[in-house]
Amino acid sequence: MPKWQQEQIFANALTVALMTCLASLLCGAAIYPVVVHLSTDNERKAREVLDSHISMMESLGRAIAKRDSDTGEHNYRVAWVSARIAEEMGLTGHDMQALIAGSFLHDVGKIGIPDAILLKPGKLDEEEFVIMRTHVALGEEIVTGMGWLDDANAVVAAHHEKRDGSGYPRQLKGDAIPLAACIFAVADVFDALSSKRPYKQRGRLGGGWGT
């Protein structure tokens, strides 16, 4: 092949390469604002969804507080303490969100418990205690099927289980109890020791049905 043909082929190839690079740059410059807009829009929508979830959770919390103001305050306290414990354990992201939601709504089933039992200042009798225990099943019904709250069910359903199997409603033992429920149990005991409840004075454990 003559040298001039080689030089012509090389020049043509270089021209095509330069045009391809230029086209890529132009396409990138045109698409970039669209990508940024979509990313910003998705971030905004994610924030809106999160805000709506928090608002719904707070609405449920206010509904409980209207029945029992101490239970409403208790929800915020145990959610905060649970989150601090989980943070020290290295929980993040989805697991942390599920724990906070479950801790905040662990007693949501108490909405369905009669005031005579829910607000009784003294110890419950056996029949009343059976009714009080149903708040776990009621709470499960409320949070199950709500999508984003499904994972909160780990705490709602198991916050009265005990490692020796003497808890309720399923008598779970040891590692069968979800980690989130175990973390919550520690926060709940701390709050019981340091806060006033209808059945005891602040700072003292007394008889009664527990939370």
Side-chain angles (χ1 to χ4, degrees):
M1 179 183 296
K3 184 176 180 181
W4 67 269
Q5 285 185 328
Q6 294 179 357
E7 292 176 349
Q8 185 66 42
I9 292 173
F10 177 77
N12 290 340
L14 182 60
T15 300
V16 170
L18 290 173
M19 290 179 66
T20 301
C21 290
L22 179 60
S24 298
L25 290 173
L26 291 174
C27 287
I31 293 174
Y32 178 75
V34 177
V35 173
V36 171
H37 173 73
L38 289 175
S39 177
T40 302
D41 190 52
N42 287 338
E43 183 179 351
R44 178 183 58 79
K45 289 179 179 178
R47 285 198 304 269
E48 289 176 352
V49 170
L50 179 59
D51 288 344
S52 68
H53 289 172
I54 293 174
S55 296
M56 185 182 298
M57 191 167 66
E58 289 181 336
S59 295
L60 288 172
R62 286 194 296 270
I64 301 171
K66 286 183 179 297
R67 297 289 318 286
D68 176 11
S69 60
D70 186 71
T71 295
E73 295 171 0
H74 166 70
N75 292 341
Y76 284 97
R77 293 193 302 264
V78 292
W80 183 80
V81 174
S82 295
R84 291 300 304 271
I85 294 172
E87 186 178 25
E88 291 297 321
M89 295 176 64
L91 265 67
T92 58
H94 179 269
D95 292 336
M96 177 67 84
Q97 293 175 20
L99 171 65
I100 293 173
S103 298
F104 187 79
L105 297 174
H106 70 282
D107 272 343
V108 66
K110 286 184 178 178
I111 291 175
I113 302 300
D115 284 349
I117 296 175
L118 183 64
L119 304 179
K120 184 175 180 178
K123 185 176 181 179
L124 300 182
D125 61 32
E126 187 58 35
E127 183 178 347
E128 291 170 331
F129 191 54
V130 169
I131 295 173
M132 176 58 72
R133 284 183 170 185
T134 64
H135 81 275
V136 176
L138 292 172
E140 288 185 75
E141 291 179 10
I142 291 171
V143 301
T144 299
M146 293 185 69
W148 66 279
L149 276 182
D150 281 345
D151 291 326
N153 204 22
V155 175
V156 174
H159 70 280
H160 279 296
E161 302 290 353
K162 298 181 179 179
R163 294 191 68 82
D164 63 0
S166 64
Y168 67 90
R170 297 178 176 84
Q171 292 79 50
L172 300 179
K173 293 183 178 181
D175 293 340
I177 303 173
L179 175 61
C182 294
I183 293 173
F184 167 80
V186 175
D188 192 39
V189 169
F190 175 81
D191 189 65
L193 290 168
S194 59
S195 304
K196 183 179 180 180
R197 300 292 178 87
Y199 54 86
K200 73 177 182 68
Q201 295 301 314
R202 184 178 301 276
R204 292 181 54 198
L205 283 176
W209 42 263
T211 56

